[in-house]
Amino acid sequence: MGERFFGVVAEAYKTWNAELVSFLNRQLKRSPDAAQDMAQETFAKWLAASGGAEQPEKPRAYLYEIARNLLRDHWRREGVRGEHVVASLDDQGFEPPAGSLTAHAGLQPEARADANQRLRLLQAAIDEMPPRQREAFLLYRYDELRCEEIASRMGISVRAVEKHLQLALAHCKRRVQGEA
């Protein structure tokens, strides 16, 4: 790894660390210490993963992708992903059958299994999206950005962002409801 590489990461740290910590703090339900730790881990993963490789064209997007992956791992470990997904999708017409996505440890094993299956389907739906559609969806749902901000960040029109979001939500809804 060269000095140039470390310079890029150091500049990214100076530029985006506070923003990344704020984002992670919101995602982790206002846990500043955990957010700070995860931000540090994000930069550490970037350093570890880049052994001699080309620097990403969009370092900020790359940084947030690492952070999102760490969040997914955290939610899987902590078992709170279901609650987070429900909160993210409630206002978008994802009205699951009673108790299916909101199952918790106190429910019957069948209800928990159904909830876990729906979460796996939702994660698969997100993973299947075309990259730009997935990026717009994640910026909207997880970074809580407005369409105008997403358009500016992605270098596309607001209308294109809206179209990406419509397609992403329709795709998630079809996958979770078991349609082809």
Side-chain angles (χ1 to χ4, degrees):
M1 277 185 248
E3 203 171 297
R4 183 175 175 275
F5 168 73
F6 287 115
V8 169
V9 176
E11 187 61 34
Y13 183 85
K14 284 188 256 177
T15 305
W16 297 307
N17 185 57
E19 176 186 330
L20 182 64
V21 169
S22 176
F23 162 74
L24 291 168
N25 191 35
R26 284 191 315 270
Q27 298 304 311
L28 295 169
K29 308 255 191 241
R30 310 287 185 235
S31 177
D33 292 337
Q36 187 64 44
D37 290 347
M38 194 172 288
Q40 291 291 18
E41 188 176 354
T42 300
F43 283 99
K45 288 230 183 248
W46 186 0
L47 285 169
S50 298
E54 285 283 321
Q55 286 303 308
E57 197 172 301
K58 297 181 179 182
R60 185 179 176 282
Y62 182 69
L63 185 67
Y64 271 79
E65 189 62 32
I66 294 170
R68 282 187 203 95
N69 287 337
L70 290 172
L71 281 168
R72 283 185 199 114
D73 292 344
H74 169 78
W75 289 325
R76 283 184 194 118
R77 277 192 314 273
E78 299 299 317
V80 296
R81 178 131 170 72
E83 294 172 19
H84 184 76
V85 169
V86 168
S88 295
L89 297 177
D90 276 348
D91 61 327
Q92 295 297 320
F94 275 78
E95 200 59 56
S100 62
L101 278 176
T102 56
H104 54 80
L107 293 181
Q108 295 297 320
E110 296 84 14
R112 285 196 314 268
D114 184 52
N116 288 335
Q117 175 63 24
R118 287 179 175 279
L119 290 172
R120 281 191 294 276
L121 290 170
L122 183 58
Q123 183 61 52
I126 293 170
D127 292 343
E128 292 168 358
M129 290 178 193
R132 300 286 282 175
Q133 188 180 88
R134 181 176 45 248
E135 180 182 3
F137 179 76
L138 292 174
L139 286 170
Y140 183 74
R141 298 311 306 163
Y142 294 103
D143 291 357
E144 300 174 353
L145 298 180
R146 294 184 346 263
C147 290
E148 294 80 14
E149 295 170 307
I150 297 169
S152 173
R153 228 177 247 188
M154 292 179 67
I156 59 178
S157 70
V158 172
R159 180 67 188 122
V161 170
E162 291 169 347
K163 189 68 172 173
H164 280 310
L165 293 175
Q166 288 171 348
L167 291 171
L169 290 169
H171 177 69
C172 288
K173 189 172 183 178
R174 280 193 308 272
R175 286 287 274 138
V176 169
Q177 293 179 347
E179 299 172 18

